[in-house]
Structures are given as C-alpha cells and as structure tokens.
Amino acid sequence: MLTLKKVERPRELKWYQAGAMLYGDWGTSKAYVLGIAFALAGHASWLFLGIMSGLTALIGVCYIIICRLYPDGGGVYSSVRHRSKNLAVIGAFLLIADYVITASISSVEAFHYFNFPHPELWAIAAIITIGAINWIGPTKGGSLAVVIGLCASAVAAVLFLFTLPHLPHVQLTMPKGNLFSNWNHFVGIVLALSGVEAIANMTGIMVSPVEKTSKRAIWPVLFEVCLLTFLLGIAMNAIPNLTDHTEDMLRVLGNYYIGPWYGHLISVVFGFLLLSAANTAIGSFVSIQFLMAKDKELPEVFARLNRFGMPYLALILATIVPALVLVFEHEVMHLAALYAIGVVGAITLNIGVCATNFQISLKKRERVLLMFSAIILLLIEITIAVQKHQALLFAAIVLGTGMTLRYFAKRIVPVPIPEELLAMNVLTVSEAKEIAPLYRSSSMVAIKALNLPLLEEAALRSKARGENSIYLAYVEETPPSRELPTEIEPSAQSLDLLNRAMKDMEAKGLTGIPIWRIGADPGKLIADAARELDVSTVMIGTTKRSALTNLLRGDVLRRLDQNLPKECHLVIVG
C-alpha cells in the first residue's frame, strides 16, 4: 500500500487577490440576473432583486463562517467529507452540474454582449477554444482574470454613479399575483448566488489567519454584488419601453444613462469577464474530477495527466459537456433553471451539513443562522425540482452518471505497483528538514525525467564539496487548482523516477534524498524547497517545452530563477 503524503501548499493568497478572484466568479451574476429578473417580473423586479440581494448577503455571511471552520479547504466536497463521504460526493456532482452550466451560460451571454449573430455557435466555438488552450494547462489565466474582474467592477461602479441622480424619481411597481407565483419569480433569479463557493475553495492557500483573510476578501465583493445588483435593478425600471433585453441588460443601462459608447465599453468588458468565468468553470470542472480521482471516488483515468500536466480525460469532458448543453439548449432563461439546481444544491448541502455538525465549534447564533439559511435554500431547491422538470432531469443525469463512475472506481482493480516502489518512502520538504542534520547536502537536483548527464554533473559537484548526499526533487504536476486533498498518494511514475535516480546516485557513492512535491507551478515549488532546505545550488536540465507552452503555462526555468534566494546558484545542464 502506498503511503499518503501531506500536500504542502504555501499560503500566499492575500485578501485582495482572493477578493478579485471571487469577484471574477461572483460578480458576473449581474450581467444576466438583471435581465432575467425583468423578464420574469417586469417593473416589479426591483423588489425581487432586493430580496435576492438580502439572501446573497445572508449566504455570504454563512461562507465567512465556513471559511473559518475549514481553513484547509471549505468547498462542499472538502468540508462535507469530514461528515460523510457519500454526501461529499453528491455535493461534488451538484457542483459539477453548476460548473457545466456556468461555462455554457457565461459563454453564450458573452456573445450576446458582443452582439454577435448566432451567439450559441460562437459560444460553442469559444468553449472548444478554451479547452484547447487549457490542454497546455495555462497558469497565467488567474492574473488576467483578476485584471478583467477589476475592470468590470470599475465599469459597473461608474455606471452606478451615473444612475444615482435618477433613482429618487423611479416609479416602482409592487408585484401582482399570489404568494406562490411571486415565490416562483424569486426562485428564478437565485443564480445570483453562483460563485460564492469559490471563496471556500481558496482557504487552503490563503495567508494565515484564514478567518481574517477570508473576511477581508468576502466583504467588499459581497457589498458590491448586493448593492449594485439591487440599485441597478431599480435604475433599470426607469428606462422607457424596456423589452427583450434579457441577455444584455447592463449594456442597455450604459446606453441609456451614459451613452452608446459606454454601452459598447460595458459589452466588451463584461463579455470578456463572462468568457473568463467560462474558463474558470472549465478549470474548476477539471480540478474537481482530478481531486475525486485522487481520492478514488472516480476512476483513476480521470487523474492521468498529459505531458503538460493536465488531466486529459477530465479536460475533454469539461469541454465537451458544456458545448453539448448549448447544442440542445441556449435560451438564457432555460439555462438559468439548469444553472440554479446545481449551485443551490451544492450550497444547501455545504451550509446544511455544517449547521448540523455538532462536533465543530459554532456559536449558537451562528448555528441558527446556518440552519435558517439551509432551510430557505432547501425550499428553493425543491421548488426548482418541482417546477423545472428539465432542471431535475439534468441534475439526475449528472448525479446518475457520476455515481455510476464512482461505482466502477470502487470495483476496478488498479494495476499492481511493484513491491520495490511500494516499500519506497519519498519525503515532503518538512520531513526532509527533520532529517537534515543526518543527511546534510548543499545541492538539489530537480528532475522530470531520468537525465543521466544531469545526475553525473550533480554527483561530481557534491563529491567536490566533500558531501555524501544530495537532494533529488520531483514535482508532480496538477491542473491549476484552488483545492487539493490534504493528503495524497505519490504516483507510480514519480516513485519510479525517484527510485531510479536514487539507484544511480548510490552507484556513484552518494545517498539520494527523494523529495516529492505536488502542484501546478514546478519552478516555484522547487525554489521554495531549496529555500526551506537552505541549499546553495539547484541543478536542472534544459527545458523541452516549446515557446507556446512557456507562454501559456509558464517557463519553469524562469519561475525557478525568479523565486530562488539570491544566494542560491542555479546550474542548467544541457
């Protein structure tokens, strides 16, 4: 049996970075919620948007509590897993349903804002293009998403300032109909909650203390999303003869309150923000499949990586499924129903399980708040399931397919690993630090393949310094992800390579110290290990990545050089 190793992830995500990333997920909702609300309730939509903003604020406070409770990962799959593996898996598949429709609705809405003809065809092409780019596993998308998110927030804030003088003069209409019909209108816009799970998935990489960092990240975004959605919803009601703008309401607001040029600016900025959200959803879909496969909740094939460090089957599914959804359904109102059942289900499960878990430390008022929120969300989820049969069918298909795959994952016997590898014990950086007094070395070799000239050069350098041991560092690449298991089994490939490198060093009279790390940024992970172990020289082979790969995914050598301590030498062996 392979030994589980602790996943050591540096806590470097600051509150403003987390907030910007959260806005990229959460802040996109206003791009389509306003139009959907007006299509459902007309000039009475302001009241439903106000209640929706209140519910959004309530759920945001609940996630502040969840982030505090689960500083190593508070997403539904990780947090619920502490209580029940079965419920965690159900939550994960509901989240997958959310990611699928997020990618679909965000991409088709982007081309509505761009005002392209046949936006569903452009959206399908965009999803396939995003999948193709992700095949190389870009790691620079996060920074770009932050920039786009900040631009979108600024554009929305300027629009709000121009609407402000008009708000006292808006003639507001109260809803008509009975409680049941008005409840259905409210349920139709709950997709404004989408994106809040993103902050819980970030806790494992947030700067400590996580409670403080998560609070500072959530509050500004929560304030912006709730206040602007509500007030822009009021301003929307002042536009005369407003009809047929379900898909691009922000552009209409820009045209009316500022001018057509600003409407075009909003279209471009929010169009790219929506495409960024689609890219994030596809990446999250890949990550959760990888995570579940590593936890043996999905077949192992979903964790197998291509040569760029991306799980190829998981990425193919994450690309094809949202595109297929748009083949069969591309109306925003219908997609919204499919969207809501997944995201509301996942959030309900996360909050509900936390509320009923009496083994965690919660104040009485916090537990009451969580329970109250879970009950409201459960009623919304039941309403969607009863009223929207297509949404129920969609959720059933996702859950049924997922649970079938899980069944096979539990039944399929994995390929046996040689006993020699099973007996091998690779070390995390913290474990290597513990034995450093016994096996002291000033050199580290970063390996990705069995590079014999590199190992030969490293051995000669170590002997010249009078040392009898050397660090051998291997980084097992993962898809760019905010969430990983707290413990994981090293792959057979990583064990085999480190074992062969150790044997080569043993033949040269040196003790190889095998260091195993996992993550999406090999250069930085190697540099961090060198800093922690206080080595003076890091040796690495020349990169075999193409210029395009380096552009999209990042240059390992450059990342390594940028993050190494100034006193540490980098030696590249051709």
Side-chain angles (χ1 to χ4, degrees):
M1 187 70 178
L2 290 176
T3 303
L4 288 171
K5 305 304 294 184
K6 182 175 175 62
V7 175
E8 298 174 332
R9 304 187 72 189
R11 292 189 171 275
E12 298 176 336
L13 189 68
K14 298 178 175 62
W15 71 268
Y16 53 85
Q17 295 170 318
M21 292 166 69
L22 174 62
Y23 184 82
D25 284 343
W26 208 358
T28 55
S29 62
K30 65 173 71 67
Y32 38 81
V33 168
L34 292 173
I36 291 172
F38 194 85
L40 288 171
H43 289 287
S45 57
W46 67 274
L47 180 59
F48 296 105
L49 287 168
I51 298 171
M52 183 68 252
S53 294
L55 178 62
T56 302
L58 183 67
I59 302 306
V61 173
C62 290
Y63 270 80
I64 289 175
I65 298 170
I66 289 172
C67 288
R68 188 197 78 221
L69 294 174
Y70 299 103
D72 294 320
V76 63
Y77 179 68
S78 297
S79 63
V80 176
R81 197 171 177 80
H82 294 283
R83 184 81 175 274
S84 165
K85 288 186 178 181
N86 292 329
L87 285 177
V89 170
I90 291 172
F93 288 127
L94 287 171
L95 207 54
I96 283 174
D98 170 36
Y99 292 147
V100 168
I101 306 301
T102 297
S104 300
I105 197 171
S106 296
S107 55
V108 78
E109 273 286 84
F111 289 98
H112 278 298
Y113 272 92
F114 291 146
N115 204 25
F116 281 23
H118 304 293
E120 68 278 4
L121 299 180
W122 286 99
I124 291 169
I127 288 171
I128 293 171
T129 302
I130 290 170
I133 294 172
N134 275 277
W135 186 263
I136 302 175
T139 58
K140 297 184 178 180
S143 300
L144 182 60
V146 167
V147 172
I148 294 172
L150 292 174
C151 290
S153 182
V155 166
V158 170
L159 174 60
F160 164 69
L161 291 176
F162 273 85
T163 65
L164 208 53
H166 301 269
L167 294 182
H169 310 294
V170 177
Q171 297 296 319
L172 300 177
T173 303
M174 293 301 292
K176 298 178 181 178
N178 56 33
L179 180 63
F180 181 74
S181 62
N182 288 326
W183 171 256
N184 286 336
H185 291 332
F186 172 66
V187 168
I189 61 171
V190 291
L191 60 165
L193 295 175
S194 181
V196 70
E197 266 279 313
I199 192 68
N201 290 330
M202 300 179 202
T203 57
I205 54 175
M206 282 183 184
V207 171
S208 296
V210 171
E211 180 182 3
K212 181 179 178 180
T213 305
S214 59
K215 273 186 181 179
R216 296 179 70 185
I218 290 172
W219 279 118
V221 180
L222 180 63
F223 182 79
E224 197 270 4
V225 169
C226 294
L227 185 65
L228 259 66
T229 301
F230 176 50
L231 294 179
L232 289 176
I234 293 176
M236 173 177 68
N237 287 275
I239 301 176
N241 304 316
L242 181 61
T243 55
D244 300 327
H245 285 286
T246 306
E247 300 89 358
D248 59 353
M249 188 59 74
L250 283 176
R251 177 170 59 190
V252 175
L253 286 164
N255 288 340
Y256 182 78
Y257 284 103
I258 301 178
W261 69 271
Y262 203 78
H264 290 309
L265 177 63
I266 286 177
S267 294
V268 171
V269 172
F270 271 86
F272 280 110
L273 180 66
L274 287 160
L275 286 179
S276 174
N279 177 61
T280 301
I282 289 172
S284 299
F285 189 177
V286 171
S287 294
I288 199 165
Q289 291 176 86
F290 177 84
L291 179 63
M292 293 176 73
K294 284 294 186 182
D295 279 341
K296 296 182 171 55
E297 300 292 358
L298 282 178
E300 186 269 339
V301 67
F302 286 91
R304 290 182 188 170
L305 307 180
N306 64 13
R307 67 190 186 93
F308 303 109
M310 286 295 286
Y312 57 87
L313 180 58
L315 179 57
I316 290 169
L317 273 180
T319 304
I320 289 177
V321 177
L324 278 176
V325 167
L326 289 176
V327 170
F328 294 102
E329 183 58 76
H330 52 265
E331 292 294 329
V332 173
M333 294 290 289
H334 296 161
L335 286 171
L338 301 182
Y339 194 4
I341 198 165
V343 65
V344 174
I347 295 172
T348 303
L349 195 57
N350 199 353
I351 294 176
V353 168
C354 288
T356 55
N357 186 353
F358 292 94
Q359 295 181 345
I360 57 178
S361 177
L362 276 173
K363 297 175 184 176
K364 185 177 180 180
R365 64 175 181 272
E366 290 177 334
R367 196 176 297 278
V368 170
L369 180 69
L370 291 172
M371 286 184 175
F372 176 71
S373 304
I375 290 169
I376 293 176
L377 291 174
L378 181 60
L379 291 174
I380 292 172
E381 184 77 351
I382 292 171
T383 303
I384 296 170
V386 171
Q387 297 291 327
K388 309 291 184 182
H389 296 158
Q390 285 182 316
L392 180 60
L393 177 63
F394 174 70
I397 290 171
V398 172
L399 281 172
T401 304
M403 297 307 284
T404 301
L405 287 171
R406 187 194 188 210
Y407 173 83
F408 285 113
K410 300 294 185 183
R411 296 296 182 273
I412 295 173
V413 179
V415 177
I417 298 173
E419 289 186 11
E420 180 183 18
L421 296 184
L422 286 174
M424 183 182 175
N425 183 30
V426 295
L427 305 176
T428 62
V429 174
S430 58
E431 290 170 339
K433 285 179 71 175
E434 291 178 5
I435 65 167
L438 299 176
Y439 298 93
R440 181 64 189 161
S441 176
S442 62
S443 300
M444 175 182 290
V445 184
I447 56 175
K448 189 63 178 176
L450 191 65
N451 188 333
L452 295 177
L454 172 62
L455 295 176
E456 179 69 29
E457 179 71 19
L460 290 173
R461 281 177 171 265
S462 290
K463 288 182 177 180
R465 295 182 180 186
E467 297 174 345
N468 58 10
S469 58
I470 190 167
Y471 293 115
L472 302 170
Y474 178 91
V475 175
E476 190 165 317
E477 290 193 75
T478 67
S481 175
R482 300 166 186 167
E483 197 166 21
L484 283 174
T486 52
E487 292 184 323
I488 199 169
E489 290 179 353
S491 66
Q493 294 85 349
S494 65
L495 293 174
D496 179 58
L497 179 57
L498 286 169
N499 185 49
R500 290 160 66 192
M502 287 174 65
K503 285 185 174 180
D504 185 80
M505 285 297 169
E506 187 179 349
K508 294 177 172 61
L510 293 170
T511 300
I513 305 166
I515 296 173
W516 176 86
R517 304 208 75 182
I518 185 168
D521 191 345
K524 189 171 188 311
L525 289 169
I526 294 165
D528 290 343
R531 183 182 295 104
E532 287 288 310
L533 296 169
D534 195 27
V535 301
S536 60
T537 303
V538 173
M539 303 182 67
I540 190 171
T542 53
T543 181
K544 294 183 179 180
R545 294 184 172 187
S546 66
L548 178 62
T549 305
N550 286 334
L551 175 66
L552 294 174
R553 180 147 179 85
D555 188 333
V556 174
L557 293 178
R558 185 175 291 111
R559 290 289 292 162
L560 176 56
D561 184 52
Q562 289 171 346
N563 289 279
L564 276 176
K566 291 182 179 179
E567 62 276 9
C568 186
H569 301 288
L570 176 62
V571 179
I572 303 170
V573 179

